[in-house]
Amino acid sequence: MPTGLIRDLIYPKKCVICDDVLPAGDGDGICPKCRHYLKYITGPVCMKCGKEIISEEEEYCIDCARSEKSFERGFPLLHYISPVRESIARMKYEARQEYAEFYGRELGRAFGHELKRIGGAVLIPVPVASARLRKRGYNQAELLAESLGKETGIPIDTKTLIRRIDTLPQKKLGNEDRIKNLLKAFAVKEGAAVPKTVILVDDIYTTGSTIEACTRVLKGAGAERVYYTAVAIGSGR
């Protein structure tokens, strides 16, 4: 019996939506009946963050028009709504690491051509604090980057960008205050050679403060262009 089938029998993969066990050897990662629950971002989209917008006459969503972003462009895949919201939560908090393989592959299929066309880019997953990493045992953004890298051939850098501390709750903070709070958390590792072109990888983009803080830190250390890709993006405004 092939090694992959044996592994699937011992550690069965589960559908990213319904979480039912998939048949051994199923390489898709999602039940055929569940695929229609995935609501992909379609045009027109914001030319900055990649969020779906209503009018083709507008270049930017309200968030990006109101608050200047430091990154070049974003490539989000799905709307951050149920049941994708619950799926991502299971990936992060319930050890559904196999979900990252599926979502990273979907990112590659959707944006691989555009990401490779950027040229000379390196994938950098958004890091988590060491205490959270020890507790969880993995960083879902790193797993997504590994899957995306496998799909596209784009190299991965997990050493340059680090998270020094976890942040305090940010619900009551405005967007710029959120970014300032996060700027204290992220840093470039001392002595690291910062890539000139970076594609940040994360699971969700909500207010954009995490991606913005990472971008500012990387550009402050020598990066020239920073893009991002994420599994899902909030509707925002």
Side-chain angles (χ1 to χ4, degrees):
M1 184 179 291
T3 303
L5 288 176
I6 296 173
R7 184 179 60 247
D8 287 353
L9 288 171
I10 299 173
Y11 304 105
K13 292 181 180 179
K14 297 187 176 183
C15 171
V16 297
I17 296 300
C18 69
D19 204 39
D20 285 348
V21 173
L22 295 167
D26 186 323
D28 196 21
I30 188 170
C31 297
K33 65 180 176 64
C34 286
R35 184 170 275 280
H36 74 277
Y37 289 122
L38 301 180
K39 302 302 180 184
Y40 290 86
I41 301 295
T42 59
V45 299
C46 173
M47 295 298 291
K48 180 60 74 169
C49 73
K51 185 183 301 171
E52 194 170 305
I53 54 179
I54 297 173
S55 174
E56 293 184 359
E57 297 176 0
E58 301 293 333
E59 290 188 352
Y60 304 107
C61 68
I62 294 175
D63 286 338
C64 291
R66 182 179 57 191
S67 176
E68 186 176 352
K69 302 296 189 294
S70 302
F71 57 84
E72 271 56 46
R73 189 180 172 191
F75 299 90
L77 182 68
L78 301 165
H79 289 278
Y80 188 50
I81 56 176
S82 294
V84 169
R85 182 187 290 111
E86 291 77 14
S87 173
I88 291 174
R90 290 196 301 272
M91 179 175 67
K92 292 174 72 167
Y93 305 120
E94 298 180 22
R96 295 291 188 266
Q97 297 180 47
E98 69 273 21
Y99 287 13
E101 183 179 344
F102 168 80
Y103 284 125
R105 190 168 62 245
E106 289 290 294
L107 285 169
R109 289 173 177 173
F111 304 121
H113 180 70
E114 291 178 90
L115 296 180
K116 286 187 284 187
R117 210 171 64 182
I118 289 170
V122 174
L123 300 174
I124 294 186
V126 172
V128 297
S130 56
R132 185 171 295 187
L133 182 61
R134 285 193 300 270
K135 181 179 180 180
R136 191 180 299 167
Y138 62 95
N139 174 7
Q140 73 282 350
E142 186 172 331
L143 296 179
L144 288 166
E146 289 173 359
S147 179
L148 177 57
K150 189 186 302 182
E151 185 73 21
T152 62
I154 300 173
I156 305 167
D157 177 349
T158 61
K159 305 296 184 183
T160 295
L161 186 64
I162 60 174
R163 188 158 189 160
R164 298 180 295 188
I165 56 172
D166 217 341
T167 48
L168 297 171
Q170 302 200 107
K171 290 182 180 180
K172 295 183 179 180
L173 299 179
N175 194 52
E176 193 59 34
D177 286 332
R178 288 172 187 251
I179 295 167
K180 289 178 181 177
N181 194 23
L182 284 163
L183 283 170
K184 303 171 188 175
F186 295 108
V188 166
K189 188 174 182 181
E190 188 175 352
V194 179
K196 294 299 181 185
T197 305
V198 172
I199 301 170
L200 290 164
V201 182
D202 208 359
D203 51 358
I204 55 174
Y205 179 108
T206 49
T207 66
S209 53
T210 297
I211 294 297
E212 178 64 20
C214 289
T215 299
R216 291 188 192 183
V217 167
L218 287 165
K219 286 194 170 182
E224 295 176 356
R225 298 185 298 163
V226 178
Y227 302 80
Y228 90 86
T229 187
V231 173
I233 189 168
S235 59
R237 285 180 288 178

